[in-house]
Amino acid sequence: MAHNTHVAADTNAPPVTSILAKFVSGHVSKGWTQAVEHEAHRTFYNWLGCAIGAARHEAADAALAAVAMFEPAQQATVLGRSERVDMASAALVNGITSHTFDFDDTHLKTIIHPAGPVASAVLALAEKTGASGRDVIDALVLGIDVACRIGNTMYPDHYDRGWHITGSTGMLGAAAGCARLLKMNEQQTQMALGIAASQPVGFREQFGTMTKPFHPGGAARAGLTSALLAKHGFTASPRALEAPRGFVQVVSDKRAWNEVTDELGERFEISFNTYKPFACGIVIHPSIDACAQLREQGVKPEQVERIELRVHSLVLELTGKKEPKDGLQGKFSVYHGCAVGLIYGHAGEEEFSDAVVTDPKVVALRNKVVATVDDTIAEAAVDATAVLTDGRRVHVRVDHAIGSLERPLSDVQLEGKFNALVVPVLGEAKAREITAACWKLAALPNVRDLTALCRP
Amino acid sequence: MAHNTHVAADTNAPPVTSILAKFVSGHVSKGWTQAVEHEAHRTFYNWLGCAIGAARHEAADAALAAVAMFEPAQQATVLGRSERVDMASAALVNGITSHTFDFDDTHLKTIIHPAGPVASAVLALAEKTGASGRDVIDALVLGIDVACRIGNTMYPDHYDRGWHITGSTGMLGAAAGCARLLKMNEQQTQMALGIAASQPVGFREQFGTMTKPFHPGGAARAGLTSALLAKHGFTASPRALEAPRGFVQVVSDKRAWNEVTDELGERFEISFNTYKPFACGIVIHPSIDACAQLREQGVKPEQVERIELRVHSLVLELTGKKEPKDGLQGKFSVYHGCAVGLIYGHAGEEEFSDAVVTDPKVVALRNKVVATVDDTIAEAAVDATAVLTDGRRVHVRVDHAIGSLERPLSDVQLEGKFNALVVPVLGEAKAREITAACWKLAALPNVRDLTALCRP
């Protein structure tokens, strides 16, 4: 019973649990620039589209069938579906669907997908309490700041060990967001963070299974529950994050505490959030983007003799599948990505369906893509040349793909992505109404007016 | 994105997720000795008494107030209370109360308190489905075997790092037990273990707060939910436990896989379960036991001039508080333990109340206890001498305290412990009926006949 801690304990850690609790409970509403405010709306809107888009996925069906065993009260909306469930289960299921297509937001500094845990918890709670859009945006910005700052503190060591960092920091962001939404004081917020700190969710071994999207869902549920427990007097260690046997020190050898405190309340991590334009791993994005640009320059599939790609070795290592057999394999094929980029000009979930991956027209073009490794080209870049049947060569160089921090999706492009996800589930009229409600979310008196639109 | 794992990955791990799934789903009902069968009944009975005993604790009030926010269906009993809640919340709350007094069972090889997560999940699910006592006992034995074998695989490294091993292995035991109760096949059970593997609960920094007992409760809920998800087709990695980025390798550098497979189905870890006779840390138990033995030999408090204790240094290091001010501090005072052992002959939750700790008679005797360190005495032993006012010396040597594996509580003593916990909550008649039902649990056609007795 008198064991020592495993790695060198840091006994001089600053009181980051307390610091974050004070920040979350005390920071003024909309206490940030208009750019941050707008990014929060974009983050929310992108998350909502992803969740609605995957509403009919078999992972959602399975999760809802399990939740139904609890005979839940109808407190909150399962986005994109007619079922309503208790708010903790809504947080779980919406967190699952928002990450099911791997199409959600990315905080590139940590590879955290922060909206999944935070927005899923906050919206479910807000719907139950009838909170305002203003309060939801505040909770989202502050919750994401907590999750990503703890992520910055531990990344990359924590991720390298095998933790799926989205779920293993997300419960803190969800707890912070829910505590803020419930207007909990500093001491209660500190307890909420403390209870959540005992519930990290997820390991990378689960990638490729439904348990991967379970991670943000489980984190959302854990954070929401932690806030409610703390509100009703449940206690936790006030140093649950930073103590030698607390969360951060146990799960990471990197403990850059300054990442919690540097510019706290001035720099907001949501500013560094990005949105995928394409429904696949980010490493193929430059190639898809390049082929879409070739299309814009007038290159047509039937003119193509050959597409020459020069890429970093990592691209072929991760996505070098030459002959994908189905939609999932298509997501790991830079060849398929190029073909749909040139044919359709976009690559949403539909372009990674079994039907498209096996479409003879797509297969034919895919076979004309020749990729060669050139490690002088950055991981985030690509050099593409279309060699046409008449001998012409059309060249495109992409240094930063669309969707990167350097070339973010425009609001119009985000709407295009949203519609591609949502129209098939809810129809055009509702997609339009939701879009309008999301862009003015901060002015919405009651988020129930939004969630009501998210049911068929 | 191409990070390496943190510590040396073990790429040759046997398929323990699959092995355990096959075992849990396929092992024959009551496929063990009568001794194991009886120990399972003792484990269940002891757990039930602990949970009912703490039913009115403020941790239970806070947890139930939070759960009430979900407007839960009345599926399962909150033990010792009139409320009924959905089965996942019942698993959570009963897991919390069973560990609130730190009075529950201990698998000494790992310091896991296995019944908390496993029995809390299994009984809540069994009540909802109307399962038989036979099925509950089977689920309990197999679930505890899974949790403790994974614990053996990782202990002590995993615990030393700061994990509260009860909650960080308990979700696996709970998932296994619930999968067994639902008669899930091998493949579904493997998925249940896989989903649960992503949800370890708890760090040791939380000791001393309500989040400590939250750990077995959270693990119970996680395991139950994982089984239900798997039953409805939710997927996880089939190697979620043993893969290089799976649960065990990420949270422990010790990976003694043979602990999973050695004598699997022949040796049952529940055989090594023990039950605390005294409501405090196990390190004081030999001293309390010794003083209770002095009492049995006729030593009365008013005769005592001095009590001389010789103990291992660890005893004073952990429980050397000379002047405890309240009940909680009393649990860390070997002096207080000796005083109540001599005065009352037992040391249940009542003897660690504020009233008893500040009782002048107790304080006076406490001040007559003189403890000296002697590291030739084992941690689990004590040498005690009562020096009486007439000059007589009465000597007792305890090598293994009552409640240890070498000197287990008898069934009658377990009943005494149970009654001290349960009678104040439910009254004598119900305590008697529950006791009768527990001893014949395996023959009970429907566990609802038992849970109905556990409400006021």
Side-chain angles (χ1 to χ4, degrees):
Chain A
M1 52 194 79
H3 299 295
N4 299 313
T5 51
H6 185 73
V7 290
D10 176 357
T11 53
N12 291 314
V16 296
T17 313
S18 168
I19 290 167
L20 287 172
K22 186 185 177 102
F23 168 59
V24 167
S25 59
H27 195 74
V28 68
S29 174
K30 204 183 168 183
W32 39 73
T33 64
Q34 187 55 38
V36 169
E37 178 78 359
H38 186 60
E39 209 59 53
H41 283 74
R42 286 159 56 87
T43 291
F44 184 89
Y45 180 60
N46 179 74
W47 163 81
L48 188 63
C50 292
I52 293 172
R56 294 172 181 166
H57 190 275
E58 57 187 345
D61 289 341
L64 269 171
V67 164
M69 301 299 293
F70 304 133
E71 301 169 275
Q74 297 187 16
Q75 295 182 325
T77 300
V78 179
L79 299 167
R81 298 183 65 124
S82 53
E83 293 97 333
R84 302 183 79 227
V85 296
D86 71 277
M87 56 182 158
S89 297
L92 171 66
V93 179
N94 294 334
I96 290 171
T97 52
S98 74
H99 195 50
T100 293
F101 287 156
D102 262 322
F103 209 5
D104 47 341
D105 54 328
T106 307
H107 177 257
L108 290 171
K109 288 199 272 181
T110 56
I111 333 184
I112 291 173
H113 306 287
V118 181
S120 302
V122 165
L123 184 64
L125 177 59
E127 182 178 357
K128 169 69 167 63
T129 62
S132 70
R134 176 73 261 155
D135 286 345
V136 166
I137 291 289
D138 287 350
L140 186 68
V141 172
L142 296 168
I144 285 180
D145 220 50
V146 167
C148 291
R149 281 176 177 274
I150 294 294
N152 292 340
T153 302
M154 306 192 295
Y155 186 87
D157 179 79
H158 174 68
Y159 186 80
D160 291 351
R161 284 165 179 254
W163 285 94
H164 183 196
I165 192 169
T166 294
S168 59
T169 60
M171 73 292 180
L172 301 168
C178 290
R180 172 74 187 202
L181 198 74
L182 291 168
K183 305 194 189 304
M184 286 163 57
N185 65 27
E186 180 180 335
Q187 192 272 339
Q188 290 173 318
T189 302
Q190 190 169 352
M191 293 298 104
L193 291 174
I195 301 165
S198 265
Q199 302 172 75
V201 182
F203 300 98
R204 287 165 61 195
E205 168 60 20
Q206 308 282 8
F207 286 10
T209 76
M210 292 182 191
T211 297
K212 181 176 193 250
F214 174 87
H215 296 161
R221 185 183 54 171
L224 170 53
T225 306
S226 298
L228 292 175
L229 284 164
K231 186 175 172 60
H232 290 92
F234 212 81
T235 62
S237 165
R239 300 180 69 233
L241 291 174
E242 70 271 18
R245 285 167 180 164
F247 167 69
V248 171
Q249 296 210 36
V250 174
V251 300
S252 180
D253 279 354
K254 182 184 166 203
R255 302 139 185 180
W257 305 113
N258 65 295
E259 293 286 353
V260 172
T261 47
D262 285 354
E263 302 173 89
L264 185 65
E266 293 162 27
R267 183 192 79 209
F268 290 86
E269 290 302 307
I270 202 170
S271 306
F272 309 104
N273 213 7
T274 62
Y275 317 97
K276 284 185 183 176
F278 310 126
C280 58
I282 215 153
V283 71
I284 321 185
H285 288 205
S287 299
I288 300 172
D289 188 6
C291 290
Q293 290 186 33
L294 289 172
R295 180 175 180 271
E296 279 169 26
Q297 293 187 26
V299 174
K300 296 192 188 329
E302 57 272 21
Q303 301 173 302
V304 170
E305 170 82 28
R306 189 168 72 251
I307 295 175
E308 298 173 355
L309 284 185
R310 287 193 297 130
V311 296
H312 188 274
S313 56
L314 188 68
V315 176
L316 292 188
E317 194 182 304
L318 295 178
T319 60
K321 194 166 277 289
K322 286 218 66 127
E323 298 182 352
K325 302 297 182 203
D326 58 23
L328 186 59
Q329 290 190 4
K331 294 198 175 194
F332 296 94
S333 171
V334 67
Y335 307 99
H336 178 71
C338 284
V340 296
L342 191 70
I343 294 172
Y344 302 105
H346 54 260
E349 193 61 24
E350 177 63 24
E351 285 69 40
F352 292 99
S353 64
D354 294 352
V356 170
V357 169
T358 56
D359 178 342
K361 192 175 60 174
V362 174
V363 173
L365 185 57
R366 187 159 76 210
N367 289 336
K368 294 180 178 170
V369 179
V370 180
T372 52
V373 164
D374 180 350
D375 277 350
T376 66
I377 292 176
E379 289 176 24
V382 72
D383 186 286
T385 303
V387 181
L388 307 188
T389 48
D390 63 7
R392 274 194 300 142
R393 298 173 66 89
V394 187
H395 175 254
V396 167
R397 169 86 182 196
V398 170
D399 284 317
H400 299 288
I402 183 73
S404 65
L405 213 47
E406 294 80 3
R407 278 183 62 214
L409 287 191
S410 68
D411 291 355
V412 170
Q413 288 169 322
L414 263 186
E415 289 186 12
K417 174 182 175 182
F418 182 89
N419 285 328
L421 287 161
V422 173
V423 169
V425 178
L426 294 177
E428 275 186 35
K430 279 202 164 139
R432 200 178 313 119
E433 285 185 272
I434 296 170
T435 296
C438 282
W439 288 133
K440 61 175 191 198
L441 180 58
L444 207 66
N446 190 325
V447 293
R448 289 177 188 161
D449 295 334
L450 169 62
T451 54
L453 295 171
C454 299
R455 299 193 288 270
Chain B
M1 50 194 78
H3 299 296
N4 299 312
T5 51
H6 185 73
V7 292
D10 176 356
T11 53
N12 291 314
V16 297
T17 313
S18 169
I19 290 166
L20 288 172
K22 186 183 176 107
F23 168 59
V24 168
S25 60
H27 195 75
V28 67
S29 174
K30 203 184 169 182
W32 39 74
T33 64
Q34 188 54 38
V36 169
E37 178 78 359
H38 186 60
E39 208 59 54
H41 283 74
R42 286 159 55 87
T43 291
F44 183 89
Y45 180 59
N46 179 73
W47 163 82
L48 189 63
C50 292
I52 293 172
R56 294 173 182 167
H57 190 275
E58 56 185 346
D61 289 341
L64 269 171
V67 164
M69 300 299 294
F70 303 134
E71 301 168 276
Q74 298 188 19
Q75 296 182 326
T77 300
V78 178
L79 299 166
R81 297 183 66 122
S82 54
E83 293 96 333
R84 302 183 77 228
V85 296
D86 71 277
M87 56 181 158
S89 297
L92 171 67
V93 179
N94 293 334
I96 290 172
T97 52
S98 73
H99 195 48
T100 293
F101 288 157
D102 262 323
F103 209 5
D104 46 341
D105 53 330
T106 307
H107 177 256
L108 290 171
K109 289 199 271 180
T110 56
I111 331 182
I112 289 174
H113 307 287
V118 180
S120 302
V122 164
L123 184 63
L125 176 60
E127 182 178 359
K128 169 69 168 63
T129 63
S132 70
R134 176 72 261 153
D135 286 345
V136 167
I137 291 289
D138 287 351
L140 185 69
V141 172
L142 297 169
I144 285 180
D145 220 50
V146 167
C148 292
R149 281 177 178 272
I150 294 293
N152 291 341
T153 302
M154 306 191 296
Y155 186 86
D157 178 79
H158 175 68
Y159 186 80
D160 291 350
R161 286 165 179 255
W163 285 94
H164 183 197
I165 192 168
T166 294
S168 59
T169 61
M171 74 291 180
L172 301 169
C178 290
R180 173 74 186 203
L181 198 74
L182 291 168
K183 306 194 190 306
M184 285 162 57
N185 64 28
E186 179 180 336
Q187 190 274 339
Q188 290 173 317
T189 303
Q190 191 169 351
M191 294 297 103
L193 292 173
I195 300 165
S198 266
Q199 302 170 75
V201 182
F203 300 99
R204 288 165 61 195
E205 168 60 21
Q206 308 283 8
F207 287 10
T209 76
M210 292 182 190
T211 297
K212 181 177 193 247
F214 174 87
H215 297 161
R221 185 184 54 171
L224 170 53
T225 306
S226 298
L228 292 175
L229 283 165
K231 185 175 173 62
H232 290 92
F234 212 81
T235 62
S237 165
R239 301 180 67 234
L241 291 174
E242 69 272 19
R245 286 168 180 162
F247 167 69
V248 171
Q249 296 210 36
V250 175
V251 300
S252 180
D253 278 355
K254 182 185 167 202
R255 302 140 186 179
W257 305 114
N258 66 295
E259 292 287 353
V260 172
T261 48
D262 286 355
E263 302 173 272
L264 184 65
E266 293 162 27
R267 181 193 80 208
F268 290 86
E269 291 302 306
I270 202 170
S271 305
F272 308 105
N273 213 7
T274 62
Y275 317 97
K276 286 185 181 177
F278 310 127
C280 57
I282 216 153
V283 71
I284 321 186
H285 288 205
S287 299
I288 300 171
D289 189 6
C291 290
Q293 290 186 35
L294 289 173
R295 180 175 180 273
E296 279 168 26
Q297 293 186 25
V299 174
K300 296 193 190 325
E302 57 272 21
Q303 304 173 303
V304 170
E305 170 83 28
R306 187 168 72 252
I307 295 175
E308 298 173 353
L309 283 187
R310 286 192 299 128
V311 296
H312 188 274
S313 56
L314 189 68
V315 176
L316 292 188
E317 193 181 304
L318 295 178
T319 60
K321 193 164 277 292
K322 287 217 68 130
E323 298 183 352
K325 302 297 181 203
D326 57 24
L328 187 59
Q329 290 189 5
K331 293 197 175 194
F332 297 93
S333 171
V334 67
Y335 306 99
H336 178 71
C338 283
V340 297
L342 191 72
I343 294 172
Y344 302 105
H346 53 260
E349 193 60 25
E350 177 64 25
E351 284 70 38
F352 293 99
S353 63
D354 293 352
V356 170
V357 170
T358 56
D359 178 342
K361 190 175 63 175
V362 174
V363 174
L365 184 56
R366 187 158 75 210
N367 290 336
K368 296 180 178 170
V369 178
V370 180
T372 52
V373 164
D374 180 349
D375 277 350
T376 67
I377 292 177
E379 290 175 23
V382 72
D383 187 287
T385 304
V387 182
L388 306 187
T389 48
D390 64 6
R392 273 193 305 143
R393 299 173 65 89
V394 187
H395 175 251
V396 166
R397 167 88 183 195
V398 170
D399 284 316
H400 300 287
I402 183 72
S404 65
L405 212 48
E406 294 80 1
R407 278 183 61 215
L409 286 192
S410 70
D411 291 354
V412 170
Q413 287 169 321
L414 262 187
E415 289 186 12
K417 173 182 175 182
F418 182 89
N419 285 329
L421 285 162
V422 172
V423 169
V425 178
L426 293 177
E428 274 187 36
K430 279 202 164 141
R432 199 178 313 116
E433 284 184 274
I434 296 170
T435 295
C438 281
W439 288 132
K440 61 175 190 197
L441 181 58
L444 207 64
N446 190 326
V447 293
R448 289 177 187 161
D449 294 335
L450 169 62
T451 54
L453 296 170
C454 299
R455 297 192 289 270

